[in-house]
Amino acid sequence: MKKLILAALVLVGLTCSAQKATEKETVVVIKTSMGTIKAKLYNDTPQHRDNFLKLVNEGWYNGSPFHRVINQFMIQGGQNADGRLDPGYTVPAEFKDNHFHKKGALAAARQPDQVNPKKASSGSQFYIVQGKVYDDRWLDMFESRSGKVLSARQRQTYKTIGGTPHLDGDYTVFGEVTEGLDVVDKIAAVKTGNMDVPVEPVTIISITIEKSCCH
């Protein structure tokens, strides 16, 4: 009997471990005036994930613009369609070494260090990284000047798909694009004017939740 109970406990433990290992991440569908982008939200940045989903459910982003676009850097959105820049609160930073600013990274914008030393994120503003590809020489120089040390994974990623390494460790990355990197490229390439605002508006028509499980 004891052996049977022990075996059952082991089986339950293995099942729980397997469920945790296969824990699904929420996927959101960002429908824009230039195409559709899909992104998954990381489970290990739960405060950013849950806040983003809260705003999605409230319709905060519907009809709002990508109000700052810089080619080979990023596209930024998140202010409300009625012009409010954010909902009036911040989200504590959730930095994870395994999440960095590769192309397609979904990250939270924030106020600068001078007024925000804890690097708390905006309650709603986000950006999607486009970035560019770097070579070893540039990355070596970056490490030397910044004092940051890139992991082998970061270095390989920045040399292949690209990104914005200088943002690592300063802004919370809470998801990544799974489909629609071509749309990110299209938006990043639009003509911009003062303050990097697109001359022809690029609009987030809606953001919806495709699936969510096991949080």
Side-chain angles (χ1 to χ4, degrees):
M1 178 64 74
K2 288 183 179 179
K3 289 184 178 179
L4 288 175
I5 293 173
L6 181 60
L9 290 173
V10 170
L11 181 60
V12 169
L14 289 173
T15 301
C16 290
S17 296
Q19 287 176 341
K20 187 173 183 180
T22 58
E23 185 177 353
K24 293 182 180 179
E25 294 166 310
T26 305
V27 174
V28 293
V29 181
I30 306 169
K31 185 178 180 182
T32 82
S33 55
M34 296 188 72
T36 299
I37 301 166
K38 288 188 179 183
K40 65 179 182 180
L41 308 182
Y42 299 140
N43 290 327
D44 58 359
T45 52
Q47 294 183 85
H48 283 75
R49 177 199 65 202
D50 293 349
N51 180 65
F52 192 81
L53 294 176
K54 167 184 170 290
L55 294 176
V56 167
N57 285 324
E58 292 174 354
W60 173 276
Y61 297 110
N62 296 347
S64 65
F66 280 101
H67 60 273
R68 186 175 178 229
V69 171
I70 303 175
N71 197 26
Q72 295 191 323
F73 183 36
M74 58 90 225
I75 61 175
Q76 183 174 334
Q79 64 184 47
N80 191 266
D82 65 12
R84 283 178 291 164
L85 296 179
D86 61 56
Y89 59 82
T90 58
V91 181
E94 293 181 290
F95 299 142
K96 303 291 181 181
D97 290 339
N98 55 319
H99 301 321
F100 51 91
H101 286 79
K102 63 184 179 182
K103 182 174 184 177
L106 172 62
R110 65 174 179 84
Q111 291 293 317
D113 289 356
Q114 297 92 317
V115 295
N116 180 25
K118 293 186 177 181
K119 305 181 190 296
S121 300
S122 162
S124 63
Q125 292 207 22
F126 68 90
Y127 59 92
I128 299 173
V129 172
Q130 185 198 33
K132 58 183 179 181
V133 173
Y134 297 93
D135 59 22
D136 279 314
R137 181 180 177 185
W138 190 95
L139 294 173
D140 289 342
M141 183 171 60
F142 166 73
E143 287 186 321
S144 176
R145 291 181 176 179
S146 68
K148 296 180 179 180
V149 178
L150 301 174
S151 67
R153 181 181 169 216
Q154 283 174 293
R155 182 174 282 266
Q156 182 61 23
T157 300
Y158 290 135
K159 288 166 55 179
T160 52
I161 71 169
T164 56
H166 63 282
L167 298 180
D168 289 344
D170 287 315
Y171 296 80
T172 297
V173 176
F174 64 96
E176 66 181 82
V177 171
T178 56
E179 295 180 33
L181 282 175
D182 58 323
V183 178
V184 175
D185 288 336
K186 283 168 59 178
I187 296 173
V190 302
K191 184 178 180 180
T192 57
N194 188 40
M195 302 293 290
D196 305 308
V197 177
V199 173
E200 296 292 333
V202 181
T203 305
I204 297 172
I205 297 169
S206 66
I207 302 181
T208 55
I209 300 169
E210 183 175 87
K211 60 184 177 182
S212 181
C213 176
C214 309
H215 292 324

